[in-house]
């Protein structure tokens, strides 16, 4: 946000590109600058924007499936997305269950999901009303999406392809193909990273991180699977062919990721679950309409049973949330701090003591957050697929903060990267004392900042191995 028109690498002191320099992050940064908001507040604001975009898009997409019952289907779909899930759900962007919903709201994947759903509505209008002028906003959506979050764009192109197949006209498939290639053409002009490089080589670093999308699947989705027999008739209904074709393609993509070890494509399981939830919602509405005509009391009783089932499925989450709410209420009552754990706002002191391009050596988890406030880091806990030496950077940081690493090895790492500051999490971190003694005042460094959570040391620029 400090220099949005010439940002440089957002995390490292390098000229290598980074996928964070995408249209969504520019939109958040420029919006924050326009109204004078800091990073945290800007992301919080976009949580609300993304929330509205996602649910508006879902409503518009469902209207293309069943316009008459769109409100009721959308209502149940939202409930099912949030609460119909098994145990130990996946903690990834692109998933929207109750355990992770608030965490993913400000992320680009949520924004792109909302755009994708709106894109389906625009494409529906284009094909049904022959409004080819809608190709222009549709192209803008696909280009913005693939640059901001390519994995979620899989869902977008899957849905557009399904709509083209249902339309049955050769012209629709030609238009889809043209849109697909134009998207890559326009995205290739993005100046901050190469989408082609990311898609076909750089993005390979993400596969290892997504391998658990293929682990313990039944434990996580059994609640949806047990309802499949009830919705088989709905799935093969002519009215729902777009959903069926999308589901089939996405299952194929998910299996491709497994058999060819391209595990990042496992993110398609999230899109599969959303479509299955829409099918279940359609089944519920049809069942409700029949019951309502037959006996209103039975209809109301069935709604009550449905709510009870969702509550039972989410009993652990409800218990945890209730306990947290009671803890917060008690904290207000006795006047103690609500949050004792480290929060993002605890890092704001960095703005006062470090410059935008000052190199800070920190543990991988802290390094993920630090550049959002000030300074650059050496490596983070997540991959930087377009940075050439990211593997050696990460290994060096793991070694530097390892309790068993020798002072000589740490000295070598310091001499390689020449950081200006050392960022430490205070005890009970087990390696705090050895790092503080080696690089703090006893080692010729300066204590710049210290509070109950963090310590910031300025490393002696003439520091040498002893």
């Amino acid at each position: 946000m400090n220099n949005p028109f010439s940002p440089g690498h957002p995390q490292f002191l390098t000229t290598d590109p980074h996928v964070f320099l995408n249209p969504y992050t520019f939109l958040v940064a420029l919006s924050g600058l326009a109204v004078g908001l800091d990073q945290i507040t800007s992301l919080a604001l976009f949580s609300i924007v993304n929330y509205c975009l996602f649910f508006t898009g879902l409503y518009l997409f469902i209207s293309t499936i069943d316009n008459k019952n769109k409100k009721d289907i959308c209502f149940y779909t939202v409930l099912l997305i949030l609460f119909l899930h098994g145990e130990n759900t996946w903690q990834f962007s692109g998933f929207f269950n109750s355990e992770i919903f608030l965490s993913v709201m400000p992320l680009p994947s949520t924004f792109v999901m909302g755009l994708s759903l709106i894109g389906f509505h625009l494409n529906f209008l284009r094909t049904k009303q022959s409004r080819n002028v809608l190709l222009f906003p549709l192209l803008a959506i696909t280009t913005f999406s693939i640059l901001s979050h390519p994995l979620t764009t899989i869902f977008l192109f899957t849905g557009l392809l399904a709509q083209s197949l249902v339309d049955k006209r050769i012209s629709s498939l030609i238009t889809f193909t043209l849109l697909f290639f134009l998207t890559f053409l326009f995205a290739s002009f993005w100046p901050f990273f190469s989408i082609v490089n990311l898609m076909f080589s750089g993005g390979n670093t993400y596969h290892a991180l997504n391998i658990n999308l293929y682990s313990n699947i039944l434990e996580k989705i059994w609640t949806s699977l047990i309802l499949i027999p009830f919705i088989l008739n709905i799935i093969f209904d002519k009215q729902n062919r777009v959903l069926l074709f999308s589901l089939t393609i996405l299952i194929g993509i998910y299996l491709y990721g497994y058999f060819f070890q391209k595990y990042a494509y496992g993110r398609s399981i999230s899109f599969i679950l959303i479509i299955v939830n829409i099918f279940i919602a359609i089944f519920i509405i049809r069942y409700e309409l029949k019951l309502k005509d037959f006996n209103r009391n039975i209809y109301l009783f069935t709604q009550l049973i449905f709510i009870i089932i969702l509550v039972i499925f989410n009993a652990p989450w409800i218990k945890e949330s209730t306990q947290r709410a009671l803890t917060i209420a008690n904290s207000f009552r006795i006047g103690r701090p609500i949050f004792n754990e480290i929060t993002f706002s605890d890092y704001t002191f960095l703005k006062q003591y470090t410059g935008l391009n000052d190199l800070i050596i920190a543990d991988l988890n802290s390094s993920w957050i630090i550049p959002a406030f000030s300074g650059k880091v050496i490596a983070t806990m997540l991959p930087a697929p377009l940075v050439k030496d990211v593997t050696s950077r990460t290994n060096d940081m793991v070694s530097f903060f390892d309790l068993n690493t020798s002072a000589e090895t740490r000295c070598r790492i310091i001499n390689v990267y020449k950081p200006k500051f050392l960022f430490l999490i205070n005890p009970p971190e087990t390696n705090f004392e050895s790092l503080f003694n080696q690089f703090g005042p006893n080692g010729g460094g300066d204590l710049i900042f210290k509070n109950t959570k963090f310590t910031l040391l300025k490393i002696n620029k003439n520091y040498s191995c002893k």
Side-chain angles (χ1 to χ4, degrees):
M1 291 182 66
N2 295 280
N3 192 7
F5 298 104
S6 182
H9 196 284
Q11 296 175 317
F12 308 151
L13 278 178
T14 177
T15 57
D16 291 336
H18 196 286
V19 293
F20 279 0
L21 299 176
N22 61 60
Y24 177 76
T25 54
F26 276 87
L27 179 62
V28 174
L30 292 174
S31 299
L33 284 174
V35 294
L37 299 178
D38 60 25
Q39 299 93 320
I40 296 175
T41 309
S42 296
L43 282 172
L45 175 64
F46 266 81
S47 293
I48 300 172
V49 172
N50 293 351
Y51 174 90
C52 296
L53 190 69
F54 177 79
F55 290 115
T56 300
L58 184 64
Y59 175 82
L60 291 174
F61 173 54
I62 289 174
S63 72
T64 68
I65 306 299
D66 187 343
N67 191 53
K68 181 180 179 181
N69 300 302
K70 57 189 176 185
K71 292 181 181 178
D72 296 329
I73 295 173
C74 187
F75 171 75
Y76 278 114
T77 300
V78 171
L79 284 182
L80 293 166
I81 288 173
L82 288 173
F83 300 114
L84 186 66
H85 55 79
E87 300 177 355
N88 302 317
T89 57
W90 290 292
Q91 303 295 303
F92 286 95
S93 62
F95 291 84
F96 303 100
N97 59 71
S98 56
E99 293 185 5
I100 196 175
F101 181 75
L102 293 178
S103 300
V104 301
M105 274 299 101
L107 301 183
S109 57
T110 307
F111 190 88
V112 171
M113 176 60 75
L115 284 183
S116 299
L117 293 165
I118 291 173
F120 299 152
H121 180 69
L122 291 177
N123 195 49
F124 175 81
L125 295 178
R126 184 191 65 80
T127 55
K128 295 301 179 182
Q129 302 175 9
S130 298
R131 295 168 60 183
N132 288 327
V133 68
L134 293 176
L135 279 172
F136 293 104
L138 198 54
L139 179 59
I141 286 174
T142 56
T143 305
F144 185 100
S145 298
I146 202 167
L147 288 168
S148 297
H149 205 264
L151 288 174
T152 304
T153 311
I154 292 172
F155 177 62
L156 173 56
F157 278 119
T158 296
L160 294 175
L161 176 59
Q163 288 177 321
S164 299
L165 292 171
V166 170
D167 190 51
K168 294 182 178 180
R169 291 180 295 178
I170 296 297
S171 60
S172 289
L173 287 173
I174 293 173
T175 301
F176 169 80
T177 305
L178 180 64
L179 179 66
F180 183 83
F181 284 106
L182 282 177
T183 298
F184 273 91
L185 177 63
F186 278 86
S188 67
F189 289 103
W190 184 250
F192 300 107
F193 64 84
S194 168
I195 187 63
V196 175
N197 186 18
L198 178 65
M199 295 290 289
F200 296 105
S201 59
N204 290 332
T205 56
Y206 288 112
H207 293 308
L209 290 176
N210 288 275
I211 191 170
N212 66 351
L213 288 167
Y214 294 91
S215 303
N216 303 316
I217 301 172
L218 293 179
E219 176 189 28
K220 296 174 172 61
I221 68 170
W222 69 269
T223 51
S224 298
L225 290 178
I226 62 174
L227 295 173
I228 295 294
F230 297 97
I231 64 172
L232 283 176
N233 189 47
I234 303 289
I235 289 176
F236 294 101
D237 192 322
K238 183 178 179 181
Q239 181 182 358
N240 301 323
R241 283 185 177 176
V242 168
L243 293 174
L244 173 60
F245 288 3
S246 296
L247 181 64
T248 303
I249 297 168
L250 287 169
I251 291 174
I253 293 171
Y254 185 75
L255 294 175
Y256 166 81
Y258 176 76
F259 287 112
F260 291 88
Q261 299 181 347
K262 303 291 186 180
Y263 298 119
Y265 291 107
R267 295 289 185 99
S268 57
I269 190 68
S270 169
F271 316 138
I272 291 169
L273 291 174
I274 289 174
I275 292 175
V276 170
N277 285 329
I278 295 175
F279 276 127
I280 296 171
I282 293 172
F283 167 78
I284 292 171
I285 293 304
R286 291 188 184 180
Y287 184 71
E288 278 191 352
L289 291 174
K290 291 179 181 178
L291 280 179
K292 195 172 183 180
D293 293 336
F294 175 72
N295 188 303
R296 184 170 179 81
N297 290 329
I298 296 178
Y299 159 72
L300 294 173
F301 178 74
T302 303
Q303 287 187 316
L304 178 62
I305 293 297
F306 175 76
I307 294 172
I308 291 173
I309 290 173
L310 287 181
V311 169
I312 292 172
F313 281 156
N314 290 270
W317 175 79
I318 293 172
K319 179 182 178 182
E320 182 181 343
S321 299
T322 302
Q323 289 174 340
R324 184 60 175 161
L326 291 173
T327 300
I328 291 173
N330 190 51
S331 297
F332 274 118
R333 184 179 66 83
I334 65 178
R336 73 182 178 194
I338 296 174
F339 298 106
N340 292 319
E341 67 271 19
I342 292 172
T343 62
F344 290 127
S345 59
D346 292 321
Y347 292 83
T348 55
F349 75 91
L350 290 167
K351 293 181 179 179
Q352 181 178 351
Y353 298 101
T354 65
L356 181 63
N357 291 314
D358 286 340
L359 187 59
I360 303 171
I361 188 168
D363 64 278
L364 293 176
N365 289 330
S366 299
S367 294
W368 181 246
I369 302 170
I370 287 171
F373 296 90
S374 184
K376 304 293 184 182
V377 294
I378 297 169
T380 71
M381 63 180 183
L382 293 179
L386 303 177
V387 177
K388 302 179 185 66
D389 60 344
V390 66
T391 301
S392 61
R393 286 169 169 266
T394 304
N395 291 339
D396 283 342
M397 290 304 97
V398 171
S399 176
F400 186 89
F401 286 93
D402 190 290
L403 182 63
N404 298 317
T405 298
S406 66
E408 290 74 17
T409 299
R410 289 187 180 130
C411 177
R412 178 191 62 79
I413 294 172
I414 290 293
N415 288 335
V416 168
Y417 296 100
K418 303 187 184 309
K420 188 172 183 179
F421 296 98
L422 171 60
F423 178 95
L424 297 174
I425 301 176
N426 293 344
E429 290 295 310
T430 55
N431 58 355
F432 174 87
E433 185 175 350
S434 62
L435 288 168
F436 187 84
N437 289 336
Q438 184 175 357
F439 299 104
N442 292 338
D446 296 317
L447 176 61
I448 300 300
F449 175 86
K450 185 180 177 74
N451 64 9
T452 57
K453 297 177 180 178
F454 301 132
T455 295
L456 184 67
L457 300 174
K458 186 175 182 180
I459 298 174
N460 185 346
K461 61 182 178 181
N462 297 318
Y463 181 86
S464 61
C465 301
K466 296 179 181 180

